[in-house]
């Protein structure tokens, strides 16, 4: 071979030459940095959207609009699976998944932009249009929210184009300094390549850092509900004209590991469709009573707080609560009876349902009869002695004893529409859930936890049982499908709350299956047949396994 001949890119046997290795390595390096640039640009668009929404559209951002639309489209079975797997962390997991998808789309946009100018920007623009479309479908939509969606998409596209231009300047075609393949191109202009690479990396790092800092600021800002927390802290609740019943002596059995009889606000379950907590200014909040009424009513918070408020302990539960689950809690609620408000509106003949609406558009269909009978259905403003926490419906929510939350417990309440089941449906009914949701009698073993090892002898079992608005008559346990043994039932606060119970059982070393069942005050035992949560609540006996050591 003549030494003056140029180096061939490929050997005769098809193997790749060192020169080709360098070129391929450089191309792979540029693709990786282009993908990183796209992910940063997409992340920046999200952060900018959240920050601008905090300024101009606190109740709706592009991210929450897309997330809300996705939640609306999710089949009920997927929602139940997510709640059973992640519990009250389902929203955090969902948002994390959304961000990963956005980062992946951004990475693809970066690679396309590196190959052809404006190709990646077009991907981000389309993604922005999806965000705009989602914004336009939400109940909280405002012109400002639409502008925020467009501005976020535009900023992401511009940042992507700028980063890719810096990438081309820092790593020109043929420059292989970013990977293992260091070929002839590096030798031709090493100084320019190294300096350009440093400049690009500095720019990319600065953009990523600014995006991360902006994300933290947005999370803290949006998490604080744009100043609504301060308004809540300043709100003074009036004293109740009728206080909650005193908790009877012995109502709390006192076993280690038992949940408190009254659930602290910080531990109270939260299940709803809102990705961020709605921000309702108590100064401008208004509740409207509309529909089939003789007199439509508008009620502001000052008017509501001036009413004769009552305080009651009420246990509420989510219809997605599995047998033995913890999507249930008991609190002391302060509010005005809904029946008194509806009496002022005077429902018309033929009405049988009240469609309650949240500020984010979520709705629940509640039988009119349960809002007008003598049960303590409340327009609640307080929870355990303080204004409603933001995540639990501040400033006003519905509390209805005896019904699952999906047909009663509307948070961030803005409207009560008196109507008919034949004419209107709540959010979950067209998604496969029943239109009425009375809470089923149920019970749970809290102590000991399933799979826990205990010592032989008297093993203390304890837990809770509930049959809201009916009351619990007795609780029984059985071991290895043997005879039922009646537990000591602690006195309940009222028929609208859960009851605690306990029972000591002599157990020798071995492994045991223990089941619990409750019977209500009407003599009706809970259903033994195991059924899923859909369409109207789970049934079955809570069953645990206990390992008894010598």
């Amino acid at each position: 071979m003549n030494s003056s001949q140029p180096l061939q890119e490929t050997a005769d046997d098809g193997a790749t030459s060192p020169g080709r290795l360098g070129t391929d390595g450089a191309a792979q390096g540029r693709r990786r940095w282009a993908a990183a640039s796209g992910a940063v640009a997409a992340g920046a668009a999200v952060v900018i959207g959240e920050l601008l929404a905090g300024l101009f559209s606190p109740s709706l951002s592009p991210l929450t609009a897309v997330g809300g639309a996705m939640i609306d489209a999710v089949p009920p079975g997927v929602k139940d699976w997510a709640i059973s797997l992640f519990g009250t962390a389902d929203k955090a997991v969902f948002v994390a998944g959304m961000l990963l998808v956005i980062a992946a789309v951004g990475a693809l946009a970066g690679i396309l932009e590196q190959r052809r100018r404006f190709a990646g920007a077009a991907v981000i623009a389309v993604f922005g249009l999806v965000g705009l479309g989602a914004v336009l479908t939400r109940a909280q939509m405002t012109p400002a929210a639409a502008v925020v969606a467009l501005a976020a998409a535009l900023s992401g596209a511009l940042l992507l184009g700028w980063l890719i231009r810096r990438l081309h300047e820092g790593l020109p075609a043929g420059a292989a300094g970013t990977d293992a393949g260091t070929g002839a191109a590096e030798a031709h202009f090493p100084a320019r390549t190294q300096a350009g690479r440093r400049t690009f990396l500095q720019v990319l790092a600065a953009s990523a850092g600014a995006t991360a800092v902006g994300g933290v600021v947005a999370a803290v800002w949006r998490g604080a509900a744009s100043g609504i927390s301060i308004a809540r802290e300043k709100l003074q609740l009036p004293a109740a004209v009728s206080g909650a019943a005193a908790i009877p002596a012995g109502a709390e059995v006192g076993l280690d590991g038992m949940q408190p009889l009254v659930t602290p606000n910080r531990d109270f379950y939260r299940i709803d469709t809102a990705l961020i907590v709605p921000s309702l200014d108590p100064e401008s909040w208004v509740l409207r009573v509309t529909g089939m009424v003789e007199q439509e009513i508008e009620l502001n918070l000052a008017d509501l707080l001036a009413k004769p408020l009552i305080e009651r302990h009420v246990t509420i539960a989510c219809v997605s609560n599995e047998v033995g689950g913890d999507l249930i809690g008991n609190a002391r609620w302060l509010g005005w009876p809904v029946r008194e408000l509806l009496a002022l509106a005077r429902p018309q003949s033929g009405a049988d349902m009240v469609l309650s609406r949240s500020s984010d558009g979520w709705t629940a269909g509640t039988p009119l009869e349960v809002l007008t009978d003598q049960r303590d259905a409340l327009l609640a403003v307080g929870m355990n002695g303080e204004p409603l926490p933001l995540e639990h419906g501040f400033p006003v929510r519905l509390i209805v004893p005896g019904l699952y939350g999906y047909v009663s417990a509307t948070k961030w309440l803005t409207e009560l529409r008196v109507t008919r089941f034949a004419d209107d449906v709540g959010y979950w009914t067209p998604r496969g859930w029943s239109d009425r949701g009375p809470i089923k009698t149920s019970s749970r073993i809290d102590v000991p936890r399933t799979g826990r090892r205990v010592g032989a002898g008297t093993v203390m079992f304890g837990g809770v049982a509930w049959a809201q608005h009916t009351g619990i008559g007795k609780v029984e346990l059985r071991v290895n499908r043997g005879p039922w043994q009646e537990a000591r039932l602690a006195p309940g606060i009222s028929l609208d709350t859960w009851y605690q119970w306990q029972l000591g059982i002599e157990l020798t070393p071995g492994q045991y299956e223990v089941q619990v069942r409750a019977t209500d005050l009407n003599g009706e035992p809970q259903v033994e047949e195991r059924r899923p949560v859909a369409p109207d609540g789970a049934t079955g006996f809570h069953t645990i396994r206990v390992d008894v050591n010598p």
Side-chain angles (χ1 to χ4, degrees):
M1 177 177 177
N2 193 326
S3 61
S4 64
Q5 290 179 327
L7 179 68
Q8 298 296 315
E9 293 287 355
T10 306
D12 293 340
D13 62 359
T16 303
S17 71
R20 173 62 66 186
L21 282 172
T23 302
D24 290 346
Q28 292 174 6
R30 286 195 302 276
R31 280 195 297 271
R32 283 198 288 269
W33 288 121
S37 300
V40 168
V46 171
V47 169
I48 290 170
E50 291 298 303
L51 291 173
L52 290 176
L55 284 171
F56 304 110
S57 177
S59 62
L60 187 66
S61 70
L63 181 68
T64 58
V66 171
M70 291 175 63
I71 289 174
D72 290 351
V74 164
V78 176
K79 171 251 187 190
D80 297 334
W81 171 82
I83 291 177
S84 65
L85 185 62
F86 303 112
T88 55
D90 59 336
K91 292 179 184 60
V93 173
F94 181 75
V95 171
M98 284 184 62
L99 294 177
L100 287 175
V101 171
I102 291 170
V105 172
L108 174 62
I111 293 172
L112 294 176
E113 184 74 13
Q114 186 262 336
R115 291 177 177 175
R116 178 172 295 181
R117 191 175 183 184
F118 302 128
V123 171
I124 291 185
V126 170
F127 213 60
L129 290 176
V130 171
L132 174 61
V135 165
L136 295 176
T137 66
R138 310 315 293 170
Q140 314 100 304
M141 198 282 295
T142 63
V147 172
V148 166
L150 292 174
L154 178 62
S155 63
L158 291 175
L159 178 59
L160 175 62
W162 184 70
L163 287 174
I164 296 300
R165 286 195 296 274
R166 301 288 80 76
L167 172 64
H168 286 163
E169 293 171 1
L171 298 173
T178 60
D179 272 283
T182 52
E186 181 79 14
H188 282 295
F189 39 87
R192 191 179 78 179
T193 299
Q194 295 291 343
R197 182 172 56 195
R198 283 195 300 269
T199 300
F200 166 71
L201 292 178
Q202 289 169 355
V203 167
L204 181 62
S207 300
T211 298
V213 172
V216 172
V217 171
V220 172
W221 188 5
R222 302 282 281 161
S226 302
I228 300 302
S229 293
I230 298 174
R232 175 186 174 272
E233 292 170 1
K234 292 180 178 179
L235 183 65
Q236 296 294 317
L237 296 178
V241 299
S242 174
I247 297 177
E252 204 149 12
V253 301
L255 290 179
D256 288 342
M258 291 277 289
Q259 292 189 8
L261 186 63
V262 178
T263 310
N265 291 355
R266 67 180 180 277
D267 298 329
F268 211 93
Y269 79 93
R270 178 196 165 194
I271 297 292
D272 51 58
T273 61
L275 284 182
I276 64 165
V277 176
S279 304
L280 275 68
D281 185 351
E283 293 293 327
S284 58
W285 175 85
V286 173
L287 173 64
R288 297 186 302 123
V289 183
T290 64
M292 298 175 63
V293 293
E294 298 296 334
Q295 178 65 53
E296 292 196 350
I297 294 174
E298 285 196 357
L299 187 74
N300 61 36
L301 189 59
D303 294 334
L304 178 55
L305 295 179
K307 300 295 183 182
L309 306 184
I310 66 173
E311 199 168 41
R312 297 290 185 268
H313 286 98
V314 178
T315 297
I316 63 173
C318 179
V319 72
S320 295
N321 196 35
E322 300 278 0
V323 172
D326 59 0
L327 301 181
I328 182 170
N330 181 52
R332 177 166 49 92
W333 307 95
L334 174 71
W336 189 38
V338 181
R339 62 176 176 270
E340 296 186 18
L341 175 61
L342 292 177
L344 296 177
R346 304 192 304 280
Q348 295 172 354
S349 176
D352 61 5
M353 187 253 271
V354 174
L355 190 73
S356 53
R357 187 177 302 275
S358 169
S359 66
D360 64 356
W362 188 87
T363 55
T366 309
L368 178 61
E369 63 191 48
V370 308
L371 297 177
T372 53
D373 63 16
Q374 292 307 302
R375 78 185 69 199
D376 293 317
L378 301 176
L379 297 170
V381 296
M383 181 179 183
N384 290 331
E386 60 182 71
L388 290 173
L390 302 183
E391 65 273 19
H392 290 296
F394 181 82
V396 180
R397 68 171 295 168
L398 271 180
I399 292 293
V400 183
L403 299 183
Y404 287 118
Y406 83 104
V407 293
S408 68
T410 304
K411 295 183 280 193
W412 312 293
L413 185 65
T414 58
E415 183 183 9
L416 296 176
R417 177 178 173 81
V418 179
T419 180
R420 300 186 305 172
F421 280 103
D423 299 331
D424 283 300
V425 293
Y427 180 90
W428 284 113
T429 301
R431 292 170 170 82
W433 296 82
S434 63
D435 56 4
R436 289 170 170 81
I439 292 178
K440 293 177 169 61
T441 299
S442 194
S443 53
R444 188 180 75 198
I445 301 172
D446 289 344
V447 177
R449 299 292 181 186
T450 188
R452 186 68 54 85
R453 293 184 176 274
V454 297
T458 302
V459 178
M460 294 302 300
F461 293 84
V464 289
W466 58 91
Q468 287 95 317
H469 204 57
T470 302
I472 292 294
K474 65 178 178 180
V475 173
E476 300 165 292
L477 270 70
R478 68 179 178 185
V479 178
N480 291 341
R481 306 298 173 106
W484 290 103
Q485 305 176 54
E486 188 167 348
R488 183 182 76 80
L489 183 64
I493 302 174
S494 75
L495 300 182
D496 293 333
T497 65
W498 58 13
Y499 297 60
Q500 292 192 352
W501 58 267
Q502 66 175 340
L503 178 64
I505 300 178
E506 290 292 326
L507 296 177
T508 57
Q511 188 176 87
Y512 298 88
E513 176 195 83
V514 182
Q515 293 180 306
V516 61
R517 74 174 180 186
T519 301
D520 69 20
L521 284 172
N522 294 329
E524 292 292 328
Q526 72 179 86
V527 177
E528 180 177 5
E529 181 184 356
R530 194 83 174 196
R531 295 177 185 169
V533 296
D536 58 1
T539 63
F541 296 158
H542 186 209
T543 303
I544 68 168
R545 190 192 78 250
V546 177
D547 297 319
V548 179
N549 293 331

